[in-house]
Amino acid sequence: MHVQQLLQQMEAALSQGGISNASFEASLLVEGVTGLRPTDCRLFPETEVTQEDCETLEALVARRVEAKISIARLLGQRGFWSLEFGLSEDTLEPRPDTETIIEEALAHLAPQKQMALTFLDLGTGSGCILLSLLAEFPSATGVGLDIAEGAVAQAAQNAVLNGLQERASFRVSDGFSALEDNEQFDLIVSNPPYIPSAEIATLSEEVRNHDPLRALDGGADGLDFYRLIADQAGKALKPEGWLILEFGQHQEEDVAHLLQEKGFKNLSMRKDYGGIIRTIACQKG
């Protein structure tokens, strides 16, 4: 089948299945399976697609429509910052909002970019935050913690995928429990669960049915993990070390209050690409 014809069929099926950006998603699927870029498809519309790839794409479209699985999960990977990350059922799908953490880290630690800094990523998931930071700080090393064994395994694979395995290690951990008593870091980052429990049911099908629940559910008010972090992060930070956290819309004041109560100083916040206040940075007091 010619790629132009295939794209038209896929777009029609996705659109009929209620997918709003059907043309874009069809192009992503074709590129992910065949390696043909959108420009290739436009310039060479009569390029033949193998029967095997056509059948694979037909099956992916069906899963997208019927189960509302995201394109990234269908293809098994997603880009974040400057890298690509494999996904599993134990990991959140990385999203552009979380790149705000990388921007904030660069804003505060740029003068130390060539130094042998140490990073900790709490709730590392796919490892996207930690590994993106290590790509920006070439002399740094980091540890990623996650309660899910599957997430730790996926993060370790992603470190290998991006050639960062020599500077990154991952451990199964409930909160900070896997750290040694004397372990301290220059920077702790986290995108913890922050959705109030009662709001989980209102999330899109792509999120509530396919992202791991324990990576979403932040307790009754969405702040359970911020209380834990505010209480315990100071012990794991070096003097003047930085803490950078992502949070949900309208949670900034509550998160700031929790951190200030525990003596963190020099608080600053940053908006995401949609103009929503998304991260807070602060220093150990």
Side-chain angles (χ1 to χ4, degrees), residues 63-102:
R63 293 178 67 202
R64 177 72 180 110
V65 169
E66 295 166 8
K68 295 298 186 289
I69 302 173
S70 70
I71 297 296
R73 288 201 182 278
L74 288 173
L75 295 176
Q77 67 178 33
R78 175 155 180 170
F80 178 87
W81 197 248
S82 62
L83 306 176
E84 289 288 328
F85 295 90
L87 304 178
S88 76
E89 63 182 13
D90 291 300
T91 65
L92 280 177
E93 181 181 329
R95 293 175 173 85
D97 293 346
T98 303
E99 293 182 348
T100 313
I101 292 179
I102 313 301

Side-chain angles (χ1 to χ4, degrees), residues 74-217:
L74 288 173
L75 295 176
Q77 67 178 33
R78 175 155 180 170
F80 178 87
W81 197 248
S82 62
L83 306 176
E84 289 288 328
F85 295 90
L87 304 178
S88 76
E89 63 182 13
D90 291 300
T91 65
L92 280 177
E93 181 181 329
R95 293 175 173 85
D97 293 346
T98 303
E99 293 182 348
T100 313
I101 292 179
I102 313 301
E103 294 176 345
E104 194 76 350
L106 288 168
H108 291 289
L109 296 172
Q112 305 173 61
K113 200 167 184 181
Q114 302 303 319
M115 296 177 62
L117 300 175
T118 53
F119 301 151
L120 174 68
D121 182 11
L122 182 66
T124 195
S126 65
C128 64
I129 300 174
L130 177 62
L131 296 172
S132 296
L133 286 170
L134 294 179
E136 293 290 337
F137 291 82
S139 299
T141 57
V143 175
L145 305 180
D146 203 288
I147 195 170
E149 292 185 14
V152 168
Q154 184 64 63
Q157 290 178 25
N158 285 331
V160 174
L161 175 67
N162 289 289
L164 294 166
Q165 68 273 20
E166 298 300 321
R167 295 194 284 127
S169 63
F170 299 93
R171 308 173 197 170
V172 177
S173 181
D174 186 355
F176 294 89
S177 64
L179 296 181
E180 301 293 334
D181 288 341
N182 61 346
E183 274 190 286
Q184 290 189 317
F185 301 86
D186 296 291
L187 169 67
I188 297 176
V189 293
S190 184
N191 175 21
Y194 56 69
I195 308 298
S197 301
E199 295 181 15
I200 298 295
T202 70
L203 300 175
S204 68
E205 290 183 75
E206 287 88 344
V207 175
R208 72 173 186 265
N209 291 341
H210 302 291
D211 275 342
L213 178 61
R214 60 185 168 191
L216 298 171
D217 193 339

